[in-house]
Amino acid sequence: MTDEQTVIIPWDEEVDPADLFGTNNENITPVEEKYEVALTYNAEGIIIIGDKNNALKAQTVMEKFIKLLKEGKSLDETLINYVMDFGGGEAPSAEAFDSMVCHTYRGKPIRCKTYGQKDYINAIRKNEIVFAIGPAGTGKTYLAMAMAISAFKAGEVGRIVLVRPAVEAGESLGFLPGDLKDKVDPYLRPLYDALYDIMGQEAGERNIGKGTIEIAPLAYMRGRTLDNSFIILDEAQNTSPEQMKMFLTRLGFGSKAVITGDITQIDLPFKERSGLLTVESILKGVKGISFISLTHADVVRNPIVQRIINAYERAEK
């Protein structure tokens, strides 16, 4: 027989029930579904009914929601899932999200949404080279782009260089139709998307035309030295160890580099090693270099993406 328990959380006068429960109870439905409890309220407070252990877990999560609301944070789908991932106990305070990166050209603030993202931003601020490794949707490329644009606008660097390996073409782009831009654009499109979203397409294209923002395949970095630049190497899991070494040694004076990648999505030819898989064992502990690992808990896309990642992780185990 189920050990059912009723838990009552007394009302906190500082919190509006509408902010806590959301429209049509949208904020508490995920809690009910995850912990298999019933959530209601009356004059006494918030009523949680369910299996004893689950009811207590739901209580911890609801109390965290209340704490976040009192700290001035608004509950949304991403934050609700993040709190539940941590069982409420280690979930972030509102202070964890105060790390402002920049504003988009539309005036929308770009802030960290998870502890992992905040660690990532802090690492970029403090180090010359940062590796960000994690699954899709954790903001690896977008936050790096935001930091690059912020540094560029502040005059901290004079140029932004955005790089991707063109793995599908084996970095031999000559057989594709069109000029160089036409050849490499399909591989670099995600970088354009992030750039235009933050800076605006008009300003982005203007800076590309002036050469202050450069987007290029990794193959074209060989032999160069990049001074006073913010360099982003995206999809770094698709570099060979030799390419990774070549890229890292392009860094000149006054420059900063961010290398992002997802080691679960390596598209290199069979048996070819990934430079991202080998680099940490070589460079770990080197001053000025930081490695940040982002996880499914840092995914800020549609929650179904997080569920897909979790399902694949379970299958791989």
Side-chain angles (χ1 to χ4, degrees), residues 122-136:
N122 287 340
I124 294 173
R125 288 176 174 148
K126 295 175 182 177
N127 295 276
E128 293 173 84
I129 298 175
V130 173
F131 290 85
I133 302 170

Side-chain angles (χ1 to χ4, degrees), residues 268-289:
L268 292 169
F270 183 62
K271 291 187 177 181
E272 187 169 336
R273 293 183 303 156
S274 167
L276 191 61
L277 283 175
T278 58
V279 71
E280 185 168 3
S281 63
I282 298 169
L283 297 181
K284 191 171 184 178
V286 175
K287 185 178 179 181
I289 298 177

Side-chain angles (χ1 to χ4, degrees), residues 103-148:
H103 288 82
T104 68
Y105 76 104
R106 298 180 186 272
K108 180 183 176 182
I110 298 175
R111 291 188 174 94
C112 303
K113 293 186 177 181
T114 69
Y115 272 140
Q117 289 187 351
K118 185 174 183 181
D119 288 342
Y120 179 30
I121 292 301
N122 287 340
I124 294 173
R125 288 176 174 148
K126 295 175 182 177
N127 295 276
E128 293 173 84
I129 298 175
V130 173
F131 290 85
I133 302 170
T138 50
K140 302 184 300 296
T141 303
Y142 194 83
L143 289 175
M145 185 72 74
M147 288 294 286

Side-chain angles (χ1 to χ4, degrees), residues 226-242:
L226 301 172
D227 293 323
N228 193 31
S229 302
F230 196 117
I231 314 151
I232 300 173
L233 171 58
D234 195 34
E235 297 290 323
Q237 75 274 7
N238 290 328
T239 63
S240 68
E242 295 75 20

Side-chain angles (χ1 to χ4, degrees), residues 51-196:
D51 170 82
K52 180 178 179 180
N53 289 333
N54 285 351
L56 292 174
K57 290 176 183 177
Q59 177 188 7
T60 301
V61 168
M62 292 300 293
E63 288 174 343
K64 190 64 182 184
F65 288 170
I66 292 169
K67 184 173 185 292
L68 287 166
L69 288 169
K70 289 173 68 174
E71 291 175 346
K73 191 69 182 167
S74 297
L75 297 180
D76 58 28
E77 196 170 23
T78 297
L79 182 56
I80 288 166
N81 287 325
Y82 193 58
V83 171
M84 290 194 299
D85 275 344
F86 284 90
E90 296 298 325
S93 63
E95 181 276 331
F97 303 107
D98 286 342
S99 187
M100 171 71 73
V101 181
C102 67
H103 288 82
T104 68
Y105 76 104
R106 298 180 186 272
K108 180 183 176 182
I110 298 175
R111 291 188 174 94
C112 303
K113 293 186 177 181
T114 69
Y115 272 140
Q117 289 187 351
K118 185 174 183 181
D119 288 342
Y120 179 30
I121 292 301
N122 287 340
I124 294 173
R125 288 176 174 148
K126 295 175 182 177
N127 295 276
E128 293 173 84
I129 298 175
V130 173
F131 290 85
I133 302 170
T138 50
K140 302 184 300 296
T141 303
Y142 194 83
L143 289 175
M145 185 72 74
M147 288 294 286
I149 292 172
S150 179
F152 178 70
K153 288 183 174 180
E156 296 170 8
V157 296
R159 177 171 51 169
I160 297 173
V161 182
L162 309 172
V163 185
R164 258 194 171 205
V167 168
E168 292 84 351
E171 297 211 33
S172 298
L173 305 174
F175 293 103
L176 296 178
D179 59 17
L180 175 62
K181 186 175 185 300
D182 293 329
K183 294 174 191 290
V184 302
D185 268 4
Y187 307 104
L188 306 175
R189 178 51 50 186
L191 296 175
Y192 282 104
D193 290 344
L195 173 66
Y196 293 158

